[in-house]
Amino acid sequence: MWLWWLVVIFLLLVGLFTMIPLKLEFYYCRRDHDRRLLLLIRTWFNIKYQLLPGKNPAGPASLISSGRLMECIRLGLEIWPALKFLLRRTRLCRLEWRTLVGLPDAAHTGMVVGGLWSLKGTVLTVLYRLVSKKSALPEVAVIPHFTGSSFGLLIHCIFTFRLGHIMVTAVKLACLTGRQGLKRILSFIDSFKG
């Protein structure tokens, strides 16, 4: 009889564990050559884990090579069904996306500002079709700087999802890619660290 009670308690604990909400906070700010990047994961009782430092990244920003970009796209298409499952259950609590742009010629600044509004509208339309319908509205701005060359960017996002959804996504990834695919994904992620 006590064995059944242990099984019931174990199943209740597993069920409770999968219901834990996680908050992923991403913050990136750039003004000319000054950059700040922060990535935090929070859970109940404000327990948080900082993944990326909240200070200037060391060294200049490097561009991604065309080979690595093609590998990113190929990998993204391969794991898309699992990621789509997670995105549908992800709630966007906050999205702030502000851009400051200025060129030496005011006419060129105006054209770039119009293009940025168009690009942001397209990206946000696609994003909000993927995430949960309960997501908060975005705060978006493109600020022209007509008196000289300048560039600034602020992106602040807070996503919430449940730990159980991540576990199901991991199982879907394992089914889609198999053992070799998971090793390839992990080695690809490791290649960005070094």
Side-chain angles (χ1 to χ4, degrees):
M1 183 68 174
W2 60 271
L3 185 61
W4 287 108
W5 281 108
L6 283 176
V7 169
V8 168
I9 290 171
F10 176 75
L11 290 175
L12 284 174
L13 287 175
V14 168
L16 182 66
F17 184 71
T18 60
M19 295 302 292
I20 293 176
L22 294 175
K23 265 188 186 174
L24 177 69
E25 184 172 355
F26 174 80
Y27 178 85
Y28 178 76
C29 181
R30 177 177 179 166
R31 180 66 192 258
D32 294 323
H33 298 293
D34 186 30
R35 292 188 298 266
R36 184 175 169 84
L37 178 64
L38 182 69
L39 186 61
L40 285 173
I41 294 180
R42 299 173 194 253
T43 185
W44 283 337
F45 312 116
N46 206 20
I47 299 170
K48 57 185 171 181
Y49 179 72
Q50 187 169 330
L51 293 173
L52 293 174
K55 58 184 178 182
N56 290 340
S62 60
L63 294 175
I64 189 167
S65 68
S66 60
R68 184 167 276 187
L69 179 63
M70 289 307 294
E71 192 178 344
C72 260
I73 291 170
R74 212 176 1 243
L75 192 60
L77 290 174
E78 190 175 324
I79 64 175
W80 176 245
L83 292 179
K84 190 174 179 184
F85 169 83
L86 182 63
L87 283 171
R88 292 264 182 237
R89 285 145 186 86
T90 299
R91 189 168 146 244
L92 193 53
C93 296
R94 177 188 177 107
L95 175 57
E96 184 179 0
W97 186 8
R98 302 183 188 281
T99 309
L100 169 74
V101 65
L103 297 172
D105 185 5
H108 292 154
T109 300
M111 288 173 27
V112 169
V113 166
L116 281 174
W117 273 116
S118 176
L119 177 70
K120 285 186 178 194
T122 304
V123 169
L124 290 174
T125 301
V126 170
L127 178 65
Y128 274 82
R129 285 186 180 168
L130 292 173
V131 296
S132 169
K133 304 298 179 206
K134 298 176 184 176
S135 296
L137 293 175
E139 299 173 33
V140 184
V142 179
I143 304 157
H145 186 255
F146 291 111
T147 58
S149 296
S150 183
F151 180 75
L153 177 65
L154 170 71
I155 300 175
H156 186 200
C157 309
I158 300 176
F159 298 94
T160 58
F161 40 81
R162 302 219 177 266
L163 193 56
H165 295 147
I166 294 175
M167 293 164 74
V168 171
T169 302
V171 170
K172 284 180 173 269
L173 276 174
C175 291
L176 283 171
T177 61
R179 177 184 272 186
Q180 293 302 322
L182 287 176
K183 283 182 182 176
R184 205 176 87 219
I185 291 168
L186 292 174
S187 68
F188 181 74
I189 291 170
D190 282 342
S191 71
F192 278 101
K193 292 179 183 175

